[in-house]
Amino acid sequence: MKKILNLFLYKLRNGEYFQFMSDFKGLLVALTPAAIHSEAEFAEFDARLTKLDDELRVDQGSVLTEQLQSIDQARDNIWRAIDMRINATMLCGIYQEVEAAKLLRRLFDLYGDVRRVTYNEETAGLTNLIGDLTKPENTDIVTACQLDTWVNHLKQANIAFKAKQNERDTVLANKNSGNAKAVRLEIDP
């Protein structure tokens, strides 16, 4: 016969703990609380288990996340279009445009592929890149490669992204996070 070794409930994750307690409740229901003279304890346990279930069902997401991802995709596409335009301009036969594209390539390479980093790093990188592209000493090379409109469009997309991210962060910060630990202590002190 196999024995059940000691089980330390505090080591279980919230989901595992809830499943264990739900299984335990199923056993109690099968035995019937009246048969083991524990109706009051069962009612209290059931109420606390329901409370734990409510605490664990806290919504972690936001409907703004999908909008944020959409804006980020647009921002990435604009960055990629500028990058490809610089590459294409480097291949053209017009000397002034090729030289301007080389300078822009060096500027772009300073920041790397910002699409591959976290949202905050990408936003900061794009803010700095846009700042460099709009400096007075760089306006001639941006104009020579006909990227004025693209740079402005990238700037607007980055601003929209920052605004939507701040909105989402505010919504998430104001959500009830649930306190499963406190409820677990009520069930299993």
Side-chain angles (χ1 to χ4, degrees):
M1 177 160 106
K2 293 185 178 183
K3 287 185 171 182
I4 297 177
L5 300 177
N6 290 341
L7 177 64
F8 300 105
L9 296 177
Y10 68 89
K11 290 185 177 184
L12 297 177
R13 294 185 184 126
N14 287 336
E16 295 168 331
Y17 181 85
F18 180 76
Q19 185 60 49
F20 179 82
M21 289 300 175
S22 295
D23 292 344
F24 179 72
K25 177 185 170 185
L27 292 173
L28 288 176
V29 168
L31 290 174
T32 68
I36 57 173
H37 308 291
S38 61
E39 294 94 352
E41 291 86 356
F42 178 77
E44 184 179 339
F45 173 76
D46 189 39
R48 289 180 178 169
L49 189 61
T50 302
K51 185 176 176 184
L52 178 62
D53 187 32
D54 292 341
E55 293 294 324
L56 293 176
R57 289 181 193 256
V58 173
D59 182 19
Q60 299 296 325
S62 169
V63 294
L64 298 175
T65 299
E66 186 177 330
Q67 296 171 11
L68 189 69
Q69 290 169 339
S70 176
I71 296 170
D72 181 54
Q73 183 63 45
R75 182 173 72 160
D76 290 349
N77 289 342
I78 297 165
W79 181 92
R80 182 68 179 134
I82 295 171
D83 185 57
M84 292 171 69
R85 180 73 179 253
I86 292 169
N87 290 341
T89 305
M90 289 176 66
L91 297 174
C92 83
I94 304 168
Y95 177 76
Q96 294 84 359
E97 288 185 19
V98 171
E99 291 304 309
K102 286 180 182 177
L103 293 171
L104 287 174
R105 172 55 49 217
R106 288 178 54 95
L107 195 57
F108 252 63
D109 289 347
L110 285 174
Y111 296 99
D113 189 351
V114 294
R115 300 169 303 159
R116 306 277 182 238
V117 295
T118 65
Y119 282 159
N120 289 334
E121 289 177 287
E122 181 177 358
T123 301
L126 287 176
T127 300
N128 291 335
L129 175 62
I130 293 164
D132 287 347
L133 291 172
T134 56
K135 283 183 178 176
E137 60 265 23
N138 293 329
T139 55
D140 290 340
I141 60 174
V142 170
T143 302
C145 292
Q146 302 171 5
L147 291 173
D148 303 89
T149 305
W150 287 98
V151 170
N152 188 42
H153 199 51
L154 181 61
K155 180 179 181 180
Q156 296 309 313
N158 201 40
I159 290 169
F161 181 85
K162 282 194 284 189
K164 188 59 71 176
Q165 187 176 30
N166 288 340
E167 182 183 350
R168 183 190 71 167
D169 291 348
T170 300
V171 167
L172 291 176
N174 291 329
K175 279 190 173 184
N176 178 14
S177 62
N179 190 354
K181 183 177 181 179
V183 178
R184 282 179 66 163
L185 287 173
E186 289 177 16
I187 295 173
D188 189 35

